[in-house]
Amino acid sequence: MEALTRRQQQILLWIQEQIAKHGLPPTRAELQEAFHFRSPNAAESHVRTLARKGYLVLQEGRARGIRLVSELIEESGLPLIGRVPAGAPILAEGQQEGCLPIDPQLFPGADYLLRVQGMSMRDAGILDGDILAVQQCSEAHNGQVVVARVDGEVTVKRWRKDGYQVFLLPENPDFSPIEVDLRKQDLRLEGLVVGLLRLGGL
């Protein structure tokens, strides 16, 4: 398979997500609307490029005649994690929505993808529905955006530590910081955010 541009990666991920969500591949018109292309021809051009590069198989004459190459789903990519129930391991099979075909060079070091819920990191450019690339780790430096678990609940915030105090800081004035006393509360660092994907509407 040939390497993809960032835009092609985004389109391929969006197609896979639509298939996972609806059980059907999208039409060219839906692709055009999602990515604000000016014409269906632009959507068709991107689909044909993905097919030429070996990522899709096209069925001529069908509105939804797009198929993912099976090896793409089964053998490559990063697990996409949805909502994580309190106390559940973040990479438990029950939380995984599937596997997205991420080129390892796009987000070096990433171990999994996490779907954002909520707008607490809005001013850092992280919006509800975005997909974060996360590298598993047990340490962070002040100012880094992390995935942390506080008393069993998983959250995405900016990290600041001062002695036994950890502050998980939102990037939205409508939300309050989470203050953690490591002597009294359970906090686990799940990973560092190393990249972001926004599917559609670019």
Side-chain angles (χ1 to χ4, degrees):
M1 291 180 177
E2 295 183 38
L4 298 179
T5 66
R6 185 179 181 87
R7 182 65 146 188
Q8 290 162 358
Q9 281 268 1
Q10 291 166 336
I11 293 170
L12 182 61
L13 289 172
W14 180 82
I15 290 171
Q16 183 166 351
E17 188 168 69
Q18 294 303 299
I19 292 172
K21 186 184 298 183
H22 303 294
L24 293 169
T27 65
R28 285 19 172 220
E30 289 167 346
L31 176 60
Q32 177 189 352
E33 180 180 359
F35 285 86
H36 304 304
F37 294 138
R38 292 184 178 180
S39 72
N41 289 341
E44 179 70 19
S45 175
H46 280 287
V47 167
R48 291 198 174 277
T49 298
L50 289 171
R52 179 178 55 79
K53 289 188 173 185
Y55 292 85
L56 299 178
V57 175
L58 302 184
Q59 297 175 304
E60 299 296 338
R62 294 189 177 186
R64 297 185 182 276
I66 299 173
R67 294 293 180 269
L68 292 166
V69 174
S70 59
E71 291 81 9
L72 191 68
I73 303 171
E74 296 170 1
E75 299 179 5
S76 66
L78 293 173
L80 173 62
I81 310 302
R83 188 178 188 283
V84 180
I90 202 163
L91 282 171
E93 193 168 320
Q95 277 83 256
Q96 295 186 24
E97 296 183 6
C99 188
L100 294 187
I102 294 291
D103 183 337
Q105 296 181 356
L106 188 60
F107 301 120
D111 295 299
Y112 61 92
L113 305 170
L114 182 70
R115 187 185 300 280
V116 176
Q117 295 186 332
M119 296 292 283
S120 67
M121 296 297 288
R122 178 196 65 195
D123 295 346
I126 300 174
L127 308 180
D128 185 56
D130 284 352
I131 294 174
L132 301 179
V134 183
Q135 180 178 26
Q136 286 184 296
C137 68
S138 57
E139 296 184 1
H141 298 297
N142 286 348
Q144 291 183 306
V145 178
V146 304
V147 178
R149 186 186 298 270
V150 182
D151 295 331
E153 296 281 353
V154 173
T155 186
V156 177
K157 296 289 185 291
R158 195 171 295 282
W159 176 273
R160 183 160 68 85
K161 183 180 180 183
D162 184 6
Y164 290 105
Q165 295 292 124
V166 171
F167 301 89
L168 298 173
L169 306 173
E171 294 278 354
N172 183 336
D174 295 335
F175 292 79
S176 300
I178 300 172
E179 299 183 23
V180 180
D181 186 333
L182 297 178
R183 296 166 295 185
K184 301 176 183 178
Q185 294 172 271
D186 180 35
L187 181 145
R188 176 180 170 182
L189 187 62
E190 295 281 1
L192 300 176
V193 174
V194 295
L196 179 146
L197 287 167
R198 184 167 299 143
L199 305 184
L202 296 175

